[in-house]
């Protein structure tokens, strides 16, 4: 289907899928040094990149631990600082297993405005025109919504768009732009259990905004195009939506750009049609996707087609001038997917690819089915940073995209997992050793700095304790339950929860089910504690 569709477009290029062996670590270190001066995500990553790579570990599997499966209760896992189990306050707060809406929000503790009670979006059709001269987006979004409460009004998240008209089931609705909410009152009340279609016509002057996480997000205009980076709260700045990871939907994007410009979104290309107004690029993503995982880039892109393991369709987007420079990265996708499939189970989506945009360096995002990177981080050499970024975002397709966090405080379910996967890949290609990475990260958790991995503040969400500082939780879990149960758990986490949004409580329950162990004490010590044990189980 995809192949047939893209063939009609005429701009596709077939890539080689041969494996590319990695370059020595030196170039990677240089790349890191350059990168660590950039703002944004790199600030987070620089911590984990602080050490140099090691000698090749060859093709050995990323398994370096003993596999005794000893339960945590029999494992001396604490330093002298850790209080004894009898005297300490239990660090585990009541873990939610569902969201309780508050006001106009879904009930997210970190982002109370995000999400909207009473609605469950089933499908989005985004039909917008981007004018790169005036940097404006105009058009509409049509949402198919299952109503979950009897409502006379409901809200969408919208923080910036200028709303021109709202229709519910083809009838004009009254609406109010109420700070970060678009409040919609349909002509007639809607009942729980009904399915409605809501069309919002709007325009917006596109610009990125500073998120409370301390990094900009939303819509970025570039010299010759644009990209979006929505995580965690940027989608609402250019797209009226139910902007919370607990609500996943299927998506169609029809993006009109001046002729000669390419627009790329998630999913597979349905058509590209020229008209007087430019070219409309239509992409369809059938698999459930949260708003924060939307990818939308425009510019002078070439679509590069390939084939991954078991015929998996690959479609990447590379700036036309960068084609040669980016070939090594296109060539490694197949190997990386095959490697992770071995450990995490079959690639969970219908296709994959990478998109390399002209953003600020250090930007890397697991946009669903096609991860987004910055050309500044991809010099043409395959070095440590490139391997790290490519593997990290690819692994998110299992951990974050197939199964998403149900609330933002559960971000470790994304970032700690992707950090662990990145360690596995870096060891696989001989650029570091997983045990050493884990020891180094654990050493970084000895000062008790920052909130526990389970409960980051907004500005800690993308910080150390969510990334490598949280990956140590997984390493400790692996040591505790053994390799077989650990990887069975990861496979089942992605597969059983495909298309869903889940809480940490769900992960703990599955970990206990798969291992057969009571892991309460384990998670108290590793996930809920601020100061971690000094040695792994
Ligand atoms: N999820 C991204 C990663 O893989 C980080 C995104 C951070 N958000 C942002 N607006 N920069 O690490
Ligand atoms: Zn990540």
């Amino acid at each position: 289907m995809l192949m047939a569709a893209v063939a009609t477009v005429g701009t596709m290029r077939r890539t080689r899928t041969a494996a590319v062996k990695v370059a020595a670590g030196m170039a990677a270190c240089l790349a890191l040094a350059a990168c660590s001066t950039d703002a944004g995500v790199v600030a987070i990553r620089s911590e984990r990149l602080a050490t140099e790579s090691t000698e090749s570990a060859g093709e050995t599997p990323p398994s370096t631990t003993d596999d005794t499966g000893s339960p945590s209760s029999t494992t001396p896992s604490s330093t002298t600082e850790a209080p004894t189990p009898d005297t300490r306050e239990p660090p585990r707060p009541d873990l939610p297993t569902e969201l309780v809406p508050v006001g106009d929000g879904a009930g997210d503790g970190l982002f109370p405005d995000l999400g909207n009670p009473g609605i469950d979006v089933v499908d989005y059709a985004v039909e917008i025109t981007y004018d790169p001269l005036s940097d404006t987006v105009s058009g509409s979004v049509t949402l198919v919504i299952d109503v979950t409460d009897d409502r006379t009004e409901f809200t969408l998240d919208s923080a910036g768009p200028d709303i021109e008209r709202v229709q519910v089931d083809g009838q004009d609705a009254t609406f109010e732009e109420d700070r970060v909410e678009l409040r919609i009152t349909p002509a007639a009340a809607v009942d729980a259990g009904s399915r409605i279609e809501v069309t919002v016509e709007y325009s917006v002057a596109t610009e990125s905004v500073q998120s409370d996480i301390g990094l900009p997000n939303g819509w970025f205009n570039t010299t010759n195009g644009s990209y979006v980076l929505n995580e965690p709260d940027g989608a609402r700045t250019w797209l009226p939506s139910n902007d919370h990871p607990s609500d996943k939907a299927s998506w169609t994007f029809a993006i009109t750009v001046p002729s000669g410009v390419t627009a790329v979104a998630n999913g597979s290309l349905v058509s590209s049609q020229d008209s007087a107004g430019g070219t409309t690029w239509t992409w369809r993503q059938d698999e459930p996707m949260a708003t924060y995982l939307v990818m939308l880039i425009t510019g002078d892109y070439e679509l590069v087609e390939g084939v991954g393991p078991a015929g998996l369709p690959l479609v990447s987007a590379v700036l036309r001038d960068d084609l040669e420079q980016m070939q090594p990265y296109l060539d490694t996708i197949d190997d990386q997917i095959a490697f992770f499939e071995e450990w995490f189970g079959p690639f969970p989506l219908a296709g994959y690819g990478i998109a390399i945009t002209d953003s600020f360096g250090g930007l890397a995002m697991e946009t669903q089915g096609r991860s987004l990177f910055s050309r500044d981080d991809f010099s043409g050499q395959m070095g440590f940073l490139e391997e790290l970024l490519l593997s990290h975002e690819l692994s998110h397709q299992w951990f974050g995209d197939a199964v998403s966090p149900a609330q933002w405080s559960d971000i470790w379910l994304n970032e700690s997992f992707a950090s662990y996967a990145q360690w596995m890949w870096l060891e696989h290609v001989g650029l570091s050793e997983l045990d050493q990475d884990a020891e180094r990260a654990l050493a970084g958790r000895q000062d008790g700095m920052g909130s526990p991995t389970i409960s980051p503040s907004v500005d800690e969400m993308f910080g150390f304790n969510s990334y490598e500082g949280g990956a140590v939780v997984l390493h400790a879990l692996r040591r505790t339950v053994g390799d077989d149960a650990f990887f069975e758990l990861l496979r089942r986490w992605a597969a059983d929860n495909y298309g869903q949004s889940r809480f940490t409580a769900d992960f703990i329950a599955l970990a206990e089910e798969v291992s057969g162990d009571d892991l309460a004490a384990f998670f108290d010590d590793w996930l809920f504690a601020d100061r971690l044990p000094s040695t792994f189980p």
Side-chain angles (χ1 to χ4, degrees):
M1 180 80 159
L2 173 84
M3 294 306 187
V6 294
T8 64
V9 175
T11 55
M12 305 295 288
R13 176 182 285 237
R14 191 168 288 276
T15 184
R16 290 176 293 124
T17 55
V20 169
K21 289 298 156 202
V22 297
M26 185 56 81
C29 295
L30 295 173
L32 297 181
C35 257
S36 62
T37 60
D38 284 312
V41 180
V42 163
I44 300 158
R45 295 212 153 98
S46 59
E47 286 188 67
R48 68 177 107 147
L49 304 177
T51 52
E52 66 292 336
S53 57
T54 60
E55 290 300 294
S56 168
E59 295 297 313
T60 50
S63 161
T64 53
T65 63
D66 81 67
D67 191 4
T68 58
S70 58
S72 61
S73 53
T74 63
T75 307
S77 61
S78 292
T79 63
T80 47
E81 281 108 349
T84 66
D86 316 349
T87 55
R88 68 181 163 183
E89 287 291 307
R92 181 184 304 231
D94 281 341
L95 277 184
T97 51
E98 61 180 37
L99 291 172
V100 180
V102 179
D104 294 319
D108 191 289
L110 292 184
F111 294 88
D113 292 329
L114 294 184
N116 300 274
I119 64 167
D120 173 8
V121 181
V122 178
D123 184 74
Y124 289 91
V126 181
E127 292 177 48
I128 55 176
T129 299
Y130 174 55
D131 176 6
L133 291 179
S134 61
D135 289 330
T136 50
V137 156
S138 56
S140 66
V141 55
T142 296
L143 306 87
V144 176
I145 292 176
D146 281 345
V147 179
T148 57
D149 285 342
D150 294 340
R151 317 251 343 166
T152 55
E153 58 159 54
F154 59 90
T155 52
L156 294 176
D157 300 309
S158 180
D162 192 6
I163 310 298
E164 278 135 33
R165 185 181 192 187
V166 178
Q167 292 195 308
V168 176
D169 288 337
Q171 284 211 293
D172 278 329
T174 53
F175 63 90
E176 185 195 344
E177 289 168 69
D178 181 3
R179 216 173 53 92
V180 293
E181 307 291 341
L182 169 59
R183 190 174 308 284
I184 298 170
T185 308
V190 290
D191 299 332
S194 60
R195 177 167 287 193
I196 58 173
E197 194 176 279
V198 178
T199 299
V200 180
E201 292 173 28
Y202 71 101
S203 64
V204 59
T206 53
E207 57 171 352
S208 64
V209 298
Q210 187 69 14
S211 165
D212 290 343
I213 61 169
L215 302 169
N217 65 18
W219 185 292
F220 295 75
N221 306 301
T222 63
T223 316
N224 293 307
S226 63
Y227 64 92
V228 302
L229 174 61
N230 291 340
E231 190 183 26
D233 58 347
R236 62 180 176 167
T237 67
W238 62 273
L239 180 70
S241 53
N242 195 26
D243 193 9
H244 193 261
S246 58
D247 189 7
K248 298 166 77 146
S250 55
W251 293 73
T252 301
F253 299 89
I255 313 298
T256 303
V257 285
S259 57
V261 176
T262 303
V264 189
N266 313 79
S268 52
L269 182 59
V270 177
S271 62
S272 108
Q273 249 155 28
D274 295 327
S275 67
T279 306
T280 302
W281 297 80
T282 302
W283 295 81
R284 173 69 187 170
Q285 157 88 40
D286 280 322
E287 296 152 312
M289 178 173 80
T291 48
Y292 83 94
L293 294 170
V294 167
M295 80 124 359
L296 204 176
I297 57 175
T298 70
D300 190 14
Y301 286 97
E302 179 135 14
L303 298 174
V304 184
E305 189 184 6
V307 181
L312 185 78
L314 305 179
V315 178
S316 294
V318 177
L319 288 160
R320 208 170 298 274
D321 289 345
D322 291 350
L323 262 175
E324 203 177 318
Q325 183 179 331
M326 301 309 170
Q327 193 63 45
Y329 314 119
L330 300 173
D331 290 341
T332 205
I333 298 173
D334 182 43
D335 273 0
Q336 283 196 337
I337 294 175
F339 174 75
F340 284 139
E341 283 190 330
E342 211 181 302
W343 298 99
F344 305 150
F347 184 78
L349 304 166
Y352 189 63
I354 59 176
I356 305 185
T357 190
D358 47 346
S359 65
F360 58 89
L363 177 148
M365 180 67 210
E366 66 270 28
T367 39
Q368 187 161 318
R370 193 170 297 109
S371 296
L372 185 70
F373 302 93
S374 168
R375 67 189 298 281
D376 287 0
D377 297 325
F378 291 81
S379 59
Q381 301 291 312
M382 182 58 91
F384 186 88
L385 178 68
E386 290 90 342
E387 297 279 16
L388 183 158
L389 294 174
L390 289 166
S391 60
H392 180 102
E393 306 309 335
L394 171 60
S395 68
H396 269 308
Q397 306 296 317
W398 282 262
F399 308 115
D401 295 10
V403 51
S404 301
Q407 54 178 0
W408 280 119
S409 57
D410 284 328
I411 187 68
W412 84 283
L413 294 172
N414 289 6
E415 300 305 346
S416 300
F417 287 52
S419 299
Y420 198 74
Q422 144 207 324
W423 286 346
M424 290 169 60
W425 175 259
L426 289 170
E427 176 168 272
H428 175 68
V429 294
L431 289 175
S432 72
E433 281 177 26
L434 191 147
D435 275 337
Q436 286 177 11
D437 287 337
E439 290 294 348
R440 193 189 66 249
L442 183 58
R445 295 296 306 270
Q446 296 307 303
D447 57 12
M449 292 274 282
S451 303
T453 294
I454 187 66
S455 51
S457 61
V458 169
D459 58 2
E460 289 172 327
M461 263 181 83
F462 298 101
F464 180 69
N465 289 4
S466 297
Y467 280 72
E468 287 192 302
V472 300
V473 178
L474 294 172
H475 196 57
L477 181 61
R478 178 178 175 181
R479 291 286 188 89
T480 299
V481 302
D483 281 11
D484 288 352
F486 178 75
F487 286 107
E488 172 71 6
L489 168 62
L490 294 191
R491 280 191 290 275
R492 283 197 50 196
W493 180 244
D496 294 6
N497 297 309
Y498 168 80
Q500 305 293 323
S501 306
R502 293 288 184 237
F503 294 90
T504 294
D506 300 314
F507 181 74
I508 293 177
L510 187 63
E512 293 190 329
E513 182 193 324
V514 170
S515 68
D517 295 338
D518 176 353
L519 295 169
F522 170 84
F523 283 109
D524 282 352
D525 286 346
W526 289 91
L527 184 59
F528 294 83
D530 46 13
R531 191 186 300 268
L532 297 196
S534 60
T535 54
F536 284 109

